[in-house]
Amino acid sequence: MKNLIIVSFAALMLVACGNEEKTSEPAKDTAKNVSNEIANDTTNGNEEVEPKESNSLKDSLSVGEFNARFKHDPEETQYPNGKFQLKDGSIVNADKFYYGENDVFDYASVIFYKGKIAHMQVDTESSIGDIEKGLGVSFENYTVEPYKYGSGYEVIFNETFADENIAVLPNEWD
């Protein structure tokens, strides 16, 4: 009986070892395939790393994108195609809209020229980084100054619409 148990045990061991070898060979092939895929991969390997914040931010917002996200202040007169007189005497038409409180800012005056944001005055207690994130726009290439008439910021996307270049605003023609 002892011999039968030993023979049975030995047979089981051979079967187990035999299966182990068979399962490890495909694993080696799989490892080779993965190695080949990695070797043939033309990416730089950064895809799994979270992108930098500035890379995920846009360069600008259109008037449509801004209006879709933020509501006009109903207590303010809005100036679509408003008339601006610049200090050099030239007349330029651009949209000037006012926006009420939301999760990004308390109040904003925004000028859009040729459909893109040109100038923004934001009344807020938030940091400039929070405003960038909230808007989804990078201010890296633009002028950012403290807001002159309250707490917040002035962001100049187009120097034509900087305060020092404007002689008459749309609301001053009325």
Side-chain angles (χ1 to χ4, degrees), residues 73 76 98-101 105-109 121-124 147:
D73 184 342
E76 295 281 356
Y98 300 93
Y99 298 88
E101 186 175 353
F105 51 78
D106 298 324
Y107 180 83
S109 167
Q121 293 174 327
V122 181
D123 189 6
T124 184
Y147 185 41

Side-chain angles (χ1 to χ4, degrees), residues 39-153:
N40 294 330
D41 188 4
T42 58
T43 63
N44 61 11
N46 291 332
E47 286 70 25
E48 293 180 25
V49 177
E50 283 191 20
K52 289 182 181 176
E53 230 171 82
S54 62
N55 289 345
S56 64
L57 299 177
K58 297 173 83 173
D59 190 50
S60 184
L61 284 178
S62 70
V63 65
E65 290 169 318
F66 205 94
N67 285 339
R69 293 188 53 208
F70 305 105
K71 294 187 185 209
H72 289 168
D73 184 342
E75 295 180 17
E76 295 281 356
T77 302
Q78 308 299 325
Y79 296 92
N81 203 31
K83 184 177 170 183
F84 292 80
Q85 182 175 355
L86 304 179
K87 294 240 171 132
D88 68 3
S90 63
I91 303 293
V92 178
N93 290 89
D95 300 327
K96 183 167 184 175
F97 298 127
Y98 300 93
Y99 298 88
E101 186 175 353
N102 56 67
D103 60 335
V104 178
F105 51 78
D106 298 324
Y107 180 83
S109 167
V110 185
I111 299 170
F112 297 93
Y113 182 64
K114 295 185 178 179
K116 296 285 184 191
I117 192 168
H119 183 267
M120 178 173 61
Q121 293 174 327
V122 181
D123 189 6
T124 184
E125 296 294 325
S126 299
S127 71
I128 196 67
D130 289 341
I131 300 299
E132 278 184 308
K133 285 179 197 174
L135 294 175
V137 175
S138 172
F139 300 151
E140 184 177 0
N141 298 320
Y142 305 111
T143 304
V144 178
E145 302 173 344
Y147 185 41
K148 297 172 189 95
Y149 307 106
S151 60
Y153 307 94

Side-chain angles (χ1 to χ4, degrees), residues 25-35:
E25 283 182 45
K28 287 179 186 175
D29 289 342
T30 303
K32 286 179 186 176
N33 289 339
V34 171
S35 295

